[in-house]
Amino acid sequence: MKLIRISIITGIIMLLALTTVKSQDLRDEKFRKGTEYYTSENFNDALNEWMDIYNTGYSSSSLLYNIGNAHFKLDNIPGAVLFYERARLLNPSDEDINYNLQIARSRVVDKFEEIPELFFVRWFDFMALMIPGNSWAYTSLISFLIFLAALSAYIYSSKYRLKVAGFWIALSFFILTLISLSFALRNKTLVIDNREAIIMVPSINGKSSPDNSGTDLFVIHEGSKVTVEDEMGDWFEIKLSDGNKGWIPSGSLEVI
């Protein structure tokens, strides 16, 4: 009975491994075909190949960057901005992503005066996005375990040198635990719980209330970046980069 159970578990593991390898091979093949279509200036077919990969739930900065490039070549500026923004969240230091994002943004009609972000907030966000959130979480967990071990050495050791070393090691890794945990939580906020969005329709009026009878407050055009502040039915309250707020239909935007 035990042998049968082990065989079943082994079979399941092998099946999962084969499925993973097969999925990876299929993604690689579609990515390669998309690249071939793109280099031959068949941008629509390239986009279809890459979107097939994206729609499976897989995501990487290179995939999102290429999808943004295809949208840009097809003159779909909001689509280009959306996927460049998504790529930048996964790889904020990539010069090509940042450059192409700026080019795409220059094609957006709206030029709002942005409220400047404090430099240490920009630095903190940049560091949080430098590595995946799971990596920050693992770092936090490992450093916390080392902190506990060093703290035990400080408390229970009878040797003076070991107690001193345990204290400073414990203090260092406790600080590292707090920092890496903070980065992990910020990464989750920026990537998973992101409330920033891109306007996807040619133009839309921001309303004073979540219905068509509301007063028109402003007009915003495709490609503009906004922040979703609230949701009511089929309406989103958005905040513009200059601080203005208004309500628009939920189908008018796509969250990054």
Side-chain angles (χ1 to χ4, degrees):
M1 189 70 177
K2 184 176 180 180
L3 184 61
I4 295 174
R5 193 175 301 166
I6 293 174
S7 299
I8 292 173
I9 294 173
T10 303
I12 292 173
I13 293 173
M14 291 181 64
L15 181 62
L16 289 173
L18 288 172
T19 302
T20 302
V21 171
K22 187 176 180 180
S23 298
Q24 180 63 48
D25 290 342
L26 182 60
R27 284 199 300 266
D28 291 343
E29 176 63 19
K30 281 190 163 293
F31 192 89
R32 183 188 63 78
K33 287 178 64 178
T35 302
E36 290 179 356
Y37 283 133
Y38 188 88
T39 54
S40 62
E41 299 188 359
N42 193 345
F43 305 121
N44 195 57
D45 286 341
L47 179 61
N48 289 336
E49 293 291 340
W50 290 330
M51 285 301 297
D52 283 345
I53 302 174
Y54 179 75
N55 290 332
T56 64
Y58 176 81
S59 184
S60 70
S61 60
S62 60
L63 174 64
L64 299 175
Y65 172 69
N66 282 323
I67 292 174
N69 286 340
H71 276 301
F72 189 83
K73 290 293 187 180
L74 292 168
D75 206 31
N76 180 4
I77 300 306
V81 173
L82 175 66
F83 279 92
Y84 287 147
E85 289 279 6
R86 287 173 173 172
R88 190 169 67 92
L89 285 177
L90 299 183
N91 193 357
S93 61
D94 189 282
E95 293 181 359
D96 292 333
I97 293 173
N98 286 304
Y99 178 77
N100 284 16
L101 176 58
Q102 293 304 316
I103 295 297
R105 282 177 175 171
S106 69
R107 298 276 298 275
V108 176
V109 173
D110 299 316
K111 309 295 181 186
F112 296 110
E113 183 179 348
E114 297 188 15
I115 299 174
E117 193 174 44
L118 296 174
F119 78 93
F120 59 83
V121 174
R122 290 199 307 270
W123 176 86
F124 189 82
D125 289 349
F126 179 82
M127 290 299 299
L129 293 170
M130 280 298 294
I131 64 175
N134 287 341
S135 298
W136 281 124
Y138 292 143
T139 302
S140 178
L141 177 60
I142 293 170
S143 58
F144 182 70
L145 293 176
I146 296 174
F147 158 72
L148 291 179
L151 184 64
S152 298
Y154 168 70
I155 294 174
Y156 298 109
S157 177
S158 58
K159 297 181 179 180
Y160 175 75
R161 288 186 177 179
L162 189 58
K163 288 179 74 71
V164 172
F167 172 80
W168 288 110
I169 293 173
L171 179 62
S172 299
F173 278 92
F174 180 70
I175 294 172
L176 179 60
T177 298
L178 295 179
I179 293 173
S180 54
L181 181 60
S182 299
F183 284 147
L185 294 174
R186 185 56 181 166
N187 184 284
K188 178 178 180 296
T189 299
L190 293 172
V191 177
I192 299 176
D193 301 330
N194 196 307
R195 300 297 289 170
E196 292 182 319
I198 303 298
I199 301 297
M200 303 301 291
V201 296
S203 64
I204 190 71
N205 292 319
K207 301 283 188 178
S208 60
S209 59
D211 53 65
N212 288 317
S213 62
T215 304
D216 292 340
L217 301 177
F218 53 79
V219 178
I220 190 167
H221 299 84
E222 62 180 6
S224 294
K225 186 177 179 181
V226 299
T227 303
V228 177
E229 295 283 299
D230 199 3
E231 180 178 357
M232 185 175 294
D234 294 329
W235 291 76
F236 282 147
E237 184 186 31
I238 62 169
K239 181 180 180 181
L240 308 183
S241 57
D242 61 2
N244 288 324
K245 292 183 179 182
W247 293 85
I248 64 172
S250 57
S252 307
L253 55 74
E254 190 164 346
V255 176
I256 295 172

